[in-house]
Amino acid sequence: MNVIEVKNMSKNFKNKKLFNNFSLEIEENTVHALVGPNGSGKTTLFRILTDLYDEDCGEVKIKGSMSMLLENDYLYEDKTGLENIKLYGLYFGYKPKNYKKYSDLLEITKDLNRNVSTYSKGMKRKLSLLIIVMMNREIIFLDEVTSGVDPISRVEIRKLIKLLKDEGKTIVITSHDLSEIEKVADKVSMIKSGELLFTKDISEIKGESLEDLFIEEGTK
């Protein structure tokens, strides 16, 4: 079953046409990656799917509750990690009582009593991800979730994404780290200048690296 269906969607910004008759389907309980060069429309698409932007025309159907991790972290630097979890729980209506299951996997449990101002970029990213996960939504959008994160943290984030899929979630992810996408995604859609170039199962690539496909399609 598809939980996201975009049909013949168009979106313009100040006379610049970004999407024109764009269509995309995302299946339930999959990890679906969106890749493409800077300015291709990935983040804008996320914002349309989560109702931050309205499409100009076409049809966008979302079947399920949503949460989104933006590329930048928005945390209270003068509060501890745990205080951030509790504050966002008040905003988003979740009870911060089951976080340890996820914070242990992300290896940040022991740091939650420290102020966020003392965190590395990778730790802030993992705390932001933990807060999004605590919202317990059916569809999770992750925009550049591994940006600026060290290799060990990427492995931890990958494990969390797998756990979320095992729990029945649908994860839609963007990343410039194509090797990471190959390790975590079930399906990949490539976008260029607001146009869908292809959607493939990871198994369809058959030894051809996603980076090679990226370069090949990007130069057409």
Side-chain angles (χ1 to χ4, degrees), residues 101-109 125-127 129-130 133 153 156-158 160:
K101 170 183 178 182
Y102 304 108
S103 62
D104 283 351
L105 194 60
L106 292 170
E107 296 286 347
I108 60 169
T109 303
R125 201 75 188 130
K126 290 191 285 186
L127 177 59
L129 177 57
L130 175 58
V133 170
S153 294
E156 293 162 353
I157 291 171
R158 197 187 311 148
L160 178 58

Side-chain angles (χ1 to χ4, degrees), residues 73-187:
D73 299 303
Y74 298 94
L75 299 166
Y76 294 94
E77 297 270 340
D78 61 337
K79 305 291 184 184
T80 67
L82 186 55
E83 286 172 333
N84 271 266
I85 293 171
K86 290 177 178 178
L87 281 168
Y88 278 103
L90 294 174
Y91 296 154
F92 295 113
Y94 65 78
K95 295 182 179 180
K97 60 182 181 180
N98 298 318
Y99 66 87
K100 197 170 183 295
K101 170 183 178 182
Y102 304 108
S103 62
D104 283 351
L105 194 60
L106 292 170
E107 296 286 347
I108 60 169
T109 303
K110 62 180 173 40
D111 301 299
L112 291 178
N113 290 320
R114 289 170 42 206
N115 276 13
V116 170
S117 60
T118 68
Y119 284 16
S120 66
K121 178 174 175 56
M123 289 171 61
K124 291 177 182 178
R125 201 75 188 130
K126 290 191 285 186
L127 177 59
S128 297
L129 177 57
L130 175 58
I131 289 168
I132 293 298
V133 170
M134 290 298 298
M135 292 169 65
N136 194 29
R137 304 295 169 81
E138 295 162 304
I139 305 168
I140 302 173
F141 295 93
L142 303 177
D143 194 7
E144 297 292 341
V145 65
T146 56
S147 176
V149 170
D150 63 84
I152 293 174
S153 294
R154 285 200 294 270
V155 172
E156 293 162 353
I157 291 171
R158 197 187 311 148
K159 289 178 180 177
L160 178 58
I161 291 172
K162 182 182 184 303
L163 175 60
L164 294 172
K165 182 187 172 185
D166 290 344
E167 292 179 345
K169 311 294 187 186
T170 302
I171 299 98
V172 188
I173 183 171
T174 70
S175 179
H176 286 98
D177 189 343
L178 301 182
S179 63
E180 197 67 25
I181 289 294
E182 289 179 284
K183 293 169 185 170
V184 76
D186 301 307
K187 289 180 175 289

Side-chain angles (χ1 to χ4, degrees), residues 183-204:
K183 293 169 185 170
V184 76
D186 301 307
K187 289 180 175 289
V188 179
S189 294
M190 184 172 288
I191 299 172
K192 181 183 178 184
S193 301
E195 177 185 354
L196 179 66
L197 300 183
F198 65 74
T199 296
K200 293 179 182 286
D201 289 337
I202 284 292
S203 59
E204 286 183 67

